Amino acid sequence: MSMFNQDPMRYYRTKRDNAKRRVGDKYTILGFISSGTYGRVYKAQSKEADGRIHAIKKFKPDKEGEVVTYTGISQSAIREIALNREISHENVVALKEVILEDKSIYMIFEYAEHDFLQVIHHHSQTLRSPISLSVLKSLTYQLLNGLLYLHECHIIHRDLKPANILITSGGIVKIGDLGLARLTHEPLQPLFAGDKVVVTIWYRAPELLLGAKHYNKSVDVWAVGCVVAELASLRPIFKGEEAKLDSKKNVPFQKDQLLKIFEVLGTPDEREWPALKDMPEYHNMKRLDTYQFRLFDWCASRMKTHQGYEFLKALFAYDPDARLSAKNALKHRWFQEEPKPTRNAFFGLPPHQIPPHRRISHDEVPSMMPLPSAAAQGGNPGPPAPPGFQNLSQGAGRPGSTASFGSLSGGTGGGRDTAGHVRKKSRLA
Amino acid sequence: MGATNAMSNSLSQWLFPPSALHSTPSSVTSNIPLEKELYDRARGVEFLFRLGVSLVLPTSAMFTAATWFHRFYMRFSMEDYHRQDVAAACIFLATKTEECGRKLRDVAKIYCSKVSRIELKEIPDDSREVEDSENAILQTEEVLLEALCFDFVVDSPHAELVDLFDAREVQSEVEDFAWSIANDSYRTPLCILYPPRIIAAACYILAQQLVEGPQSTSLAARLASPAPSASLPTPPSQKPSPMTSRFAVEFFKFNEIELASVRDALSILLEFYAAQDLQGSTEYLATIGSIPPPTTSANREKLYLPFTHVTQNATLQGQTAT
Ligand SMILES: Nc1ncnc2c1ncn2[C@@H]1O[C@H](COP(=O)(O)OP(=O)(O)OP(=O)(O)O)[C@@H](O)[C@H]1O
């Protein structure tokens, strides 16, 4: 506090001046990693003495309308930043800083050399052998550990899949991509509401597939089950075809994905899942062929031990309320039997069993984010021209409510009603 | 994990001592007198709330936006960034963080309708004014992000009040008053001076005093430390009784320093109310201006001048009533 008394703005100014610097002042872009839904991810090296490696996620600005015009800083970036700023855990990718430059947001993350998808590919394509039980268990344990942390922070990830679960070269699991994550107390939008939101259907929980309006953290646990099964068998366990929105944007019944699940877990019934008959898609589901439970057979060669089967079965409970929580999953007997999970998931592995380094390409770099060295070669290529504030002619404006306003200070007693507040912690906390 | 803490966000980094209000950018770089700045902050937040209500935003989004508004002017001058643009940018950004997205076009139209006092439905989608407002909002949004250092998450006194209310068995008028005073607190810079629980307690205690009337325990006694024995009906081991004048103080388990902060916060609120032109306002507002404040830190300078005085003295270009 004494520091503030001398110069209350000092902390603030340092912080802001840091944010004001341009990406190219602080980082050397080493290459381009991937192109995601909302932007691109680059590999970069800090210009500070430590020369640390980072992943930089660049968001495109928001666009609206058919004539593409700039409509503000990307909402997904804002969401992802807001969530990331509140958290810090060894098994969740750490956000190091955020830079706003030419209307694009750059999120600078700690770098993770590998991800689950890479590990799966490496074993299925190169090694042609299963992931060892010790690695499988270590990856699963750390994944659940990160998930438990998120859940305790009231965050639902909603998009867990092998590509989003990263691993450092030191074998530490880092949950990434909070782009679709939500705080549990916020009104949850249906996952398929926005047309640009795509959650991979293979990892989607049955209650979502059956159209449940309310869902909770247990959708993440289902996804963990799918990921564990995929690590164990090197292919997605429920590899269904997604039914697309029809021309009227009706949300379709996800028949194929449900069938893929039923083929392994059997058709659910009301005894194991009492709320089943209240699901919006219940009647559609009833028209499907019925299947027997055969997870036990599925696990026999893949999960090795009986506890492995029990573990997976508990993650795949149809009833979300009966499904294991992240916390209880970590306590499962499977983790207590040998081999025990290790903090470095790659501990003791011969080097060839560790997947190769993340591939980066260089062709994309100059056009997206000029290398600072380019400026030295005479001329000043500079950043791409900002999109500029053009006419938002196609914005299809739906006017908001014109509800009248009662002055909040004038008529205090009544004013709060016009604000339509609901005195619920869930709306405020 | 060294990098992990690099961005860790702590509320205290956004709390300023009240003396910082005397050296804001508006005052240092633009020579705007403090009373004028406070008047414009109040008007800006009023405008912000009106936008939020018209857009049917959840109240939590409006409280977040209002906090950002006050943070913004700890970094930029009111001369350089007009309060209405900043208010609109805060609202637009809050619709993104609070997951209640609204189209830029809709925010801009409501902004236009409020500024020009034209019915919303009279404003054509493609008017020049709407386009200009959109640009103003977008340009201000960028500056706002810079000012906020990407710290988006803020807590409100209302969440603390909910906890406090939950600890009571009976509902009462006090809760309604406390809630409204907490709304009003955003018209003052309290949210950048004190943490939410201090503000919540100040609002609650002021509400109690209002409801119980001028003959009841004075604010000074309600906030004295240690508690005057006469108003300490329960031994410390028992649950605080909701009826006592010390309920909030006991609920939040305030220490000496925090109690002093509640006293200061309360006196700022009272100063704010007293500065309003309360003529013709509701009965309770008329009385609020005359409540004697608790004794506060000796070195705190008075912040507010009567708003009527501020408007008379100020020569504003393009003055609007909001
Ligand atoms: N911290 C990181 N370290 C290394 N690589 C990363 C990191 N973060 C992301 N990546 C790489 O970039 C890819 C895309 O990142 P991310 O999933 O965050 O973006 P997205 O736009 O949300 O993508 P998607 O649409 O696939 O979910 C990841 O699959 C991974 O390959």
Side-chain angles (χ1 to χ4, degrees):
Chain A
M1 232 23 212
S2 61
M3 179 191 110
F4 286 122
N5 287 332
Q6 287 155 13
D7 183 358
M9 308 296 235
R10 199 185 76 183
Y11 159 77
Y12 184 62
R13 259 185 239 118
T14 2
K15 203 169 173 187
R16 189 213 358 130
D17 292 345
N18 278 337
K20 187 91 194 203
R21 278 208 246 140
R22 298 178 69 86
V23 179
D25 297 342
K26 302 182 84 176
Y27 300 93
T28 308
I29 306 302
L30 302 176
F32 164 75
I33 298 174
S34 118
S35 172
T37 324
Y38 299 110
R40 290 155 183 278
V41 181
Y42 298 86
K43 181 173 181 176
Q45 182 167 28
S46 166
K47 290 187 176 175
E48 277 167 35
D50 64 3
R52 215 186 272 261
I53 303 294
H54 298 279
I56 301 189
K57 187 165 173 178
K58 176 188 179 177
F59 285 82
K60 308 170 209 150
D62 274 358
K63 307 280 173 61
E64 224 174 72
E66 278 139 47
V67 175
V68 180
T69 40
Y70 174 65
T71 58
I73 302 301
S74 156
Q75 161 154 20
S76 356
I78 299 288
R79 292 284 325 175
E80 199 171 334
I81 295 165
L83 286 176
N84 264 293
R85 292 299 300 269
E86 296 299 298
I87 57 178
S88 155
H89 186 269
E90 182 178 64
N91 297 120
V92 180
V93 176
L95 176 64
K96 202 188 144 210
E97 67 170 327
V98 183
I99 294 178
L100 172 63
E101 181 177 316
D102 300 324
K103 302 183 174 36
S104 288
I105 294 265
Y106 296 83
M107 293 178 73
I108 291 109
F109 291 102
E110 63 178 322
Y111 186 72
E113 195 60 78
H114 313 286
D115 56 55
F116 278 25
L117 195 59
Q118 265 189 344
V119 173
I120 291 164
H121 279 168
H122 185 61
H123 282 81
S124 66
Q125 312 293 317
T126 312
L127 302 174
R128 297 179 177 275
S129 67
I131 297 169
S132 77
L133 197 52
S134 148
V135 173
L136 168 67
K137 211 182 275 183
S138 305
L139 294 178
T140 307
Y141 190 88
Q142 295 189 36
L143 166 60
L144 282 166
N145 203 32
L147 187 62
L148 171 63
Y149 174 78
L150 291 179
H151 286 179
E152 284 185 342
C153 295
H154 308 287
I155 293 171
I156 312 186
H157 187 287
R158 306 204 301 182
D159 195 19
L160 285 177
K161 57 181 178 186
N164 283 342
I165 308 166
L166 313 177
I167 315 168
T168 65
S169 48
I172 309 286
V173 172
K174 304 273 177 184
I175 297 178
D177 195 1
L178 295 184
L180 281 174
R182 290 298 176 262
L183 290 171
T184 49
H185 65 250
E186 290 172 331
L188 289 171
Q189 311 281 333
L191 279 169
F192 22 74
D195 24 3
K196 54 183 173 180
V197 175
V198 189
V199 179
T200 323
I201 196 165
W202 301 340
Y203 309 91
R204 207 178 285 171
E207 62 271 26
L208 295 171
L209 296 167
L210 290 170
K213 297 274 181 300
H214 303 285
Y215 58 92
N216 56 31
K217 296 164 187 172
S218 52
V219 301
D220 287 339
V221 176
W222 179 275
V224 169
C226 299
V227 169
V228 174
E230 188 165 336
L231 289 171
S233 69
L234 303 182
R235 42 203 306 278
I237 178 169
F238 309 129
K239 198 174 172 183
E241 288 284 334
E242 175 154 22
K244 298 288 177 216
L245 298 180
D246 66 16
S247 53
K248 296 191 194 85
K249 296 238 164 150
N250 290 322
V251 176
F253 175 54
Q254 296 294 353
K255 175 178 164 197
D256 192 59
Q257 182 62 31
L258 280 168
L259 283 174
K260 290 292 185 305
I261 297 173
F262 296 175
E263 282 167 16
V264 179
L265 300 179
T267 304
D269 67 43
E270 289 84 349
R271 268 168 307 150
E272 60 177 328
W273 187 3
L276 180 63
K277 54 186 178 313
D278 305 322
M279 292 289 148
E281 300 286 8
Y282 178 72
H283 294 286
N284 278 327
M285 186 206 94
K286 275 290 167 193
R287 281 197 282 271
L288 302 178
D289 294 340
T290 57
Y291 291 85
Q292 295 301 309
F293 178 83
R294 36 170 299 268
L295 183 67
F296 188 79
D297 302 334
W298 189 94
C299 284
S301 62
R302 299 174 173 99
M303 295 299 288
K304 311 286 195 301
T305 70
H306 185 72
Q307 284 306 331
Y309 156 74
E310 290 287 346
F311 177 69
L312 205 51
K313 190 174 84 166
L315 298 180
F316 281 147
Y318 271 123
D319 184 350
D321 297 332
R323 207 170 292 154
L324 226 46
S325 65
K327 188 173 200 160
N328 286 332
L330 285 167
K331 292 189 195 140
H332 197 275
R333 299 250 302 270
W334 187 52
F335 291 116
Q336 273 136 42
E337 63 182 24
E338 293 298 327
K340 297 265 175 60
T342 50
R343 182 155 183 274
N344 173 354
F346 300 137
F347 179 76
L349 280 194
H352 77 276
Q353 290 213 8
I354 298 173
H357 286 189
R358 196 178 284 290
R359 232 183 290 165
I360 58 171
S361 69
H362 299 278
D363 25 315
E364 285 277 354
V365 179
S367 65
M368 286 307 293
M369 237 171 22
L371 283 165
S373 58
Q377 299 161 3
N380 178 18
F389 301 106
Q390 297 142 32
N391 182 7
L392 234 186
S393 53
Q394 300 286 322
R398 177 173 33 84
S401 155
T402 52
S404 72
F405 173 81
S407 165
L408 289 172
S409 76
T412 312
R416 51 172 256 200
D417 294 329
T418 47
H421 88 266
V422 175
R423 227 192 247 170
K424 282 272 164 55
K425 185 112 195 174
S426 62
R427 296 279 299 274
L428 288 163
Chain B
M1 298 283 101
T4 312
N5 294 325
M7 291 201 73
S8 66
N9 173 16
S10 140
L11 176 65
S12 63
Q13 294 166 347
W14 280 108
L15 294 180
F16 301 85
S19 59
L21 291 176
H22 296 278
S23 53
T24 59
S26 306
S27 130
V28 173
T29 63
S30 307
N31 257 321
I32 296 175
L34 176 60
E35 60 271 16
K36 172 75 170 101
E37 172 170 356
L38 291 176
Y39 175 59
D40 281 344
R41 281 182 186 247
R43 292 198 295 165
V45 171
E46 159 103 26
F47 184 74
L48 182 151
F49 280 156
R50 291 177 55 203
L51 289 177
V53 169
S54 296
L55 285 160
V56 208
L57 299 188
T59 44
S60 61
M62 292 191 253
F63 301 148
T64 297
T67 306
W68 295 342
F69 180 91
H70 285 292
R71 290 182 181 182
F72 182 90
Y73 286 116
M74 296 313 274
R75 166 66 193 101
F76 293 101
S77 165
M78 305 202 85
E79 184 181 48
D80 300 334
Y81 294 93
H82 193 274
R83 61 178 187 281
Q84 290 174 330
D85 293 344
V86 176
C90 289
I91 282 285
F92 184 50
L93 186 61
T95 67
K96 300 185 197 182
T97 60
E98 307 270 316
E99 255 224 338
C100 51
R102 297 291 187 275
K103 285 216 169 75
L104 173 64
R105 168 65 45 97
D106 295 338
V107 180
K109 283 182 73 177
I110 288 180
Y111 172 98
C112 288
S113 118
K114 302 270 178 246
V115 170
S116 57
R117 297 160 178 276
I118 297 174
E119 285 271 327
L120 187 64
K121 55 180 184 298
E122 314 277 303
I123 296 181
D125 256 16
D126 50 3
S127 78
R128 186 62 211 270
E129 285 71 32
V130 173
E131 198 185 306
D132 288 348
S133 315
E134 286 178 354
N135 289 343
I137 294 170
L138 291 179
Q139 267 153 10
T140 315
E141 180 185 46
E142 279 189 64
V143 188
L144 175 63
L145 287 172
E146 187 197 324
L148 294 176
C149 305
F150 299 97
D151 281 342
F152 298 129
V153 179
V154 296
D155 296 320
S156 71
H158 296 76
E160 300 289 344
L161 283 176
V162 170
D163 282 346
L164 190 67
F165 298 164
D166 283 350
R168 304 180 48 133
E169 272 102 62
V170 281
Q171 281 228 339
S172 82
E173 215 187 347
V174 173
E175 300 187 358
D176 291 348
F177 277 85
W179 194 266
S180 307
I181 296 170
N183 287 342
D184 288 348
S185 77
Y186 283 107
R187 291 153 195 272
T188 75
L190 277 188
C191 61
I192 50 168
L193 305 179
Y194 303 102
R197 50 205 289 276
I198 300 287
I199 301 170
C203 296
Y204 190 83
I205 290 163
L206 180 53
Q208 276 186 317
Q209 166 84 34
L210 273 173
V211 169
E212 291 165 18
Q215 307 314 326
S216 67
T217 322
S218 70
L219 288 178
R222 290 173 193 272
L223 283 161
S225 81
S229 50
S231 61
L232 191 77
T234 46
S237 59
Q238 279 176 11
K239 262 177 55 179
S241 152
M243 288 312 159
T244 82
S245 56
R246 306 279 293 182
F247 174 60
V249 170
E250 285 167 28
F251 177 85
F252 289 114
K253 300 195 170 63
F254 287 133
N255 60 28
E256 292 289 317
I257 298 166
E258 290 169 318
L259 267 181
S261 293
V262 178
R263 286 194 287 267
D264 287 347
L266 227 167
S267 69
I268 292 175
L269 275 175
L270 286 174
E271 254 189 59
F272 165 75
Y273 281 117
Q276 309 276 331
D277 182 8
L278 293 172
Q279 270 181 355
S281 63
T282 56
E283 187 191 335
Y284 104 87
L285 264 184
T287 58
I288 207 168
S290 58
I291 294 178
T295 36
T296 56
S297 325
N299 56 0
R300 196 176 73 74
E301 292 173 55
K302 205 162 161 22
L303 298 176
Y304 285 90
L305 281 186
F307 283 171
T308 46
H309 176 89
V310 176
T311 41
Q312 275 155 20
N313 286 11
T315 41
L316 302 164
Q317 349 95 333
Q319 184 181 5
T320 58
T322 37

